[in-house]
Amino acid sequence: MTEEFKNKPYLTPNEVAQWMMVSPVTVRGWAQKGLLQAEVTPGGHRRFRHEEVERFARQWNPAGNKGPLRVLIVDDDRAVVGFLRELLEGGAHQTVVETAHDGFDAGRKVHTFLPDIVLLDLMMPGIKGSEVCRQIKQIPGLANVRVIAMSGYLSSENEAELLAAGAECCLSKPIDTTRLLKVMGLED
């Protein structure tokens, strides 16, 4: 649990979603099904006791393993997407891969797929990768999604722009696969 939530006796659905790395809709569903006990404020808003969320988190995920790593690859170059998908799905590590070929599709899939990591190309038609990154980081409950930027045209200006938008790091294309896997935490 992050420090941000440790001292709060009650959490909002969005805070629980951020902590559990799910969408707020999922948290509301758990509450409606009675899986996660909520208290209702006089204004009709759900609030979750800190201890209840910890109990539910242990029950929901006893080993602390949240399952396979969920990776969204966003690149308009289908050859790059195919290469990265094969790299990630073919390894010894457990990953679930989804792809998008433009910024609009990426925005839609971020909401439905809920990735742990987004591998994001800088230059795409319609919208720059830095703007896609900025928008992902502003989605409630998804601010902790890791964004690893990629570019065939990586300059110090582009890198600064991507990092300012919330990218964790920037990798040059062609991708150094060993470095990519290390950054993703899939290899030592």
Side-chain angles (χ1 to χ4, degrees):
M1 173 194 327
T2 63
E3 287 298 318
E4 156 186 15
F5 301 133
K6 277 191 176 175
N7 298 322
K8 294 182 83 173
Y10 288 92
L11 302 174
T12 67
N14 285 349
E15 289 170 331
V16 174
Q18 186 178 347
W19 180 8
M20 300 286 293
M21 292 191 262
V22 297
S23 76
V25 172
T26 301
V27 174
R28 289 183 189 97
W30 290 335
Q32 287 169 345
K33 292 176 187 170
L35 300 172
L36 178 60
Q37 299 303 311
E39 295 179 25
V40 180
T41 68
H45 301 283
R46 286 191 185 97
R47 295 296 179 260
F48 302 89
R49 287 191 63 74
H50 184 269
E51 301 80 17
E52 170 62 9
V53 178
E54 283 186 326
R55 178 207 59 81
F56 178 75
R58 282 191 304 274
Q59 176 187 352
W60 182 63
N61 191 5
N65 177 2
K66 63 185 193 87
L69 188 66
R70 300 173 67 78
V71 181
L72 175 62
I73 302 168
V74 184
D75 199 314
D76 60 317
D77 185 333
R78 293 179 186 270
V80 169
V81 170
F83 170 76
L84 291 172
R85 173 175 232 147
E86 191 174 313
L87 172 73
L88 296 173
E89 289 180 338
H93 33 273
Q94 282 193 315
T95 54
V96 177
V97 176
E98 183 61 64
T99 63
H101 300 288
D102 59 51
F104 175 76
D105 200 24
R108 190 173 56 78
K109 289 189 176 177
V110 162
H111 285 283
T112 57
F113 180 63
L114 300 172
D116 300 303
I117 298 175
V118 176
L119 299 181
L120 179 64
D121 185 30
L122 171 63
M123 302 300 256
M124 292 181 291
I127 187 170
K128 284 180 78 174
S130 54
E131 184 56 31
V132 173
C133 181
R134 189 173 291 104
Q135 290 178 11
I136 289 170
K137 293 297 188 172
Q138 291 174 349
I139 298 169
L142 296 180
N144 291 334
V145 170
R146 296 175 61 202
V147 177
I148 299 171
M150 310 174 294
S151 179
Y153 310 97
L154 196 58
S155 66
S156 56
E157 293 84 17
N158 288 343
E159 186 169 7
E161 183 180 332
L162 286 158
L163 294 174
E168 179 178 313
C169 66
C170 304
L171 303 177
S172 294
K173 290 181 182 176
I175 296 294
D176 176 341
T177 56
T178 303
R179 182 167 178 223
L180 174 65
L181 294 174
K182 281 182 182 178
V183 168
M184 293 177 69
L186 297 174
E187 288 193 5
D188 298 330

